[in-house]
Amino acid sequence: MDHEPSVAVCVPVYNDPEGVRTTVESLRPQTDDRGAPLCVVDNASTDETPDVIRRYASEGSVTHLREGDVQSSYAARNTAVRNTESEVLAFVDADMTVPEGWLESALATFRSADADYMGCTVELTLPETPSLVARYDHHTGFPVEQYIDRQRFSPTCCLFVRREVFEDVGLFDHRLISGGDKEFGNRVHDAGYEMHFASDVTMFHPVRDSLPALVRKDFRVGRGLCQLQRYHPERYGTPGVPPRPTGVKSPDRSLPLEDRLAFGALAKAMVGVRGLGYGREYLAARRDSGEGSRSGPPELDFR
């Protein structure tokens, strides 16, 4: 890219007024300085989240978009892509924060690397008195570099993509409850685009600090693993045969023995939770067999 690209920052949100407030406050000084659109997409929230977004929109700080037809964070991101014109799309999750100069640094790296698709470093932040679950979540972390190198994708919480990539390979697959970042990244890689990990561009994400929150996440991941096979069997295999677990990290041996034992037990338990999510989705797919099971991802459509 031989010029400074225009950028839009896209934030999907569902029922998280405090999270979206935190993220907008962190992002808007930098988007305002560049005159870059900060698009917050409400995915049909049922709490005060839309009111929070409307207040920022009335100040001119954000563009308030709504995705009410499909309950999916990927559908919300697609709505942002359709309703912006910038050359680069930056995706950030509601509840994340960024340091001063984050956007300029990210764009400089994106341009110097001549990247088409770029993931950033994500650091998990702990509360003052972290629970066992919070410390476990912090330990497992966000290995974004490993995801890009080995699995050819970046999480959508820290992702930069050229618009022309969407125009070529299509949007995120909104049918997926989880794993849409992997499916999209794999399509981008297969199409031959340049993928890059920005080790020097850091973003911050709070840890999950309760067992129910951890269980909900891993159950959703399990469902997404089955959906990847259901909708994309040519790439991910046949439904009914769960993929080999990935992302399960053995506790660091430098940790105290008590933590190693607890983290190991939690890791095994969460593999089981993913299995339950997979089984739930598999049974649901059998009941609904044939309904769009082989249709591809949605086409890019600005209408």
Side-chain angles (χ1 to χ4, degrees):
M1 190 170 281
D2 58 1
H3 64 281
E4 187 72 14
S6 60
V7 61
V9 181
C10 311
V11 181
V13 61
Y14 173 71
N15 282 358
D16 191 2
E18 289 305 316
V20 75
R21 186 181 289 114
T22 296
T23 300
V24 169
E25 289 292 341
S26 177
L27 288 170
R28 68 174 179 170
Q30 300 184 42
T31 54
D32 285 350
D33 283 349
R34 282 189 64 94
L38 173 53
C39 301
V40 180
V41 188
D42 174 38
N43 198 194
S45 296
T46 57
D47 61 6
E48 64 184 89
T49 298
D51 296 330
V52 172
I53 304 170
R54 277 192 288 268
R55 283 196 290 273
Y56 284 114
S58 69
E59 300 169 1
S61 300
V62 306
T63 299
H64 182 188
L65 300 173
R66 187 175 186 276
E67 172 51 62
D69 294 333
V70 180
Q71 186 65 60
S72 159
S73 65
Y74 302 116
R77 294 181 182 100
N78 290 343
T79 294
V81 176
R82 289 189 178 105
N83 286 275
T84 56
E85 298 180 349
S86 301
E87 296 167 274
V88 175
L89 286 302
F91 298 94
V92 180
D93 280 1
D95 73 3
M96 295 187 71
T97 56
V98 298
E100 183 178 351
W102 164 79
L103 186 56
E104 290 296 331
S105 176
L107 288 173
T109 300
F110 192 81
R111 184 180 178 187
S112 65
D114 197 24
D116 302 304
Y117 174 107
M118 184 179 82
C120 308
T121 297
V122 177
E123 290 189 8
L124 291 174
T125 57
L126 285 164
E128 288 187 13
T129 54
S131 64
L132 172 66
V133 169
R135 289 186 286 114
Y136 167 78
D137 197 40
H138 184 266
H139 180 69
T140 54
F142 264 96
V144 180
E145 183 175 18
Q146 178 179 317
Y147 289 152
I148 292 176
D149 287 346
R150 299 183 185 178
Q151 300 187 50
R152 305 303 184 187
F153 82 97
S154 168
T156 40
C157 66
C158 59
L159 179 63
F160 286 73
V161 185
R162 291 183 196 258
R163 174 173 297 278
E164 65 191 55
V165 174
F166 287 107
E167 292 172 345
D168 181 22
V169 307
L171 293 169
F172 297 106
D173 189 339
H174 64 249
R175 300 167 299 179
L176 299 169
I177 192 171
S178 178
D181 45 8
K182 180 176 182 177
E183 191 281 323
F184 176 73
N186 293 168
R187 260 189 287 142
V188 172
H189 176 261
D190 290 349
Y193 286 102
E194 184 67 28
M195 308 181 93
H196 181 70
F197 171 62
S199 60
D200 58 341
V201 179
T202 302
M203 307 166 70
F204 301 97
H205 194 300
V207 294
R208 290 174 176 82
D209 60 359
S210 72
L211 187 58
L214 199 63
V215 167
R216 286 193 297 271
K217 187 263 290 187
D218 278 275
F219 190 81
R220 185 178 70 251
V221 169
R223 290 185 61 194
L225 290 172
C226 187
Q227 288 177 339
L228 284 171
Q229 294 180 332
R230 178 185 181 188
Y231 298 126
H232 303 280
E234 71 289 347
R235 183 181 292 133
Y236 302 108
T238 304
V241 182
R244 185 176 179 181
T246 60
V248 179
K249 179 180 177 181
S250 298
D252 194 315
R253 297 195 64 82
S254 65
L255 292 169
L257 176 61
E258 182 180 355
D259 279 355
R260 293 207 310 272
L261 292 174
F263 289 1
L266 273 172
K268 289 181 174 65
M270 291 307 108
V271 170
V273 169
R274 291 188 184 194
L276 290 173
Y278 184 98
R280 187 261 195 200
E281 191 64 32
Y282 177 70
L283 293 175
R286 296 213 22 160
R287 288 195 301 268
D288 304 330
S289 60
E291 183 188 349
S293 59
R294 296 300 179 99
S295 59
E299 296 295 329
L300 183 64
D301 184 356
F302 288 102
R303 291 176 294 175

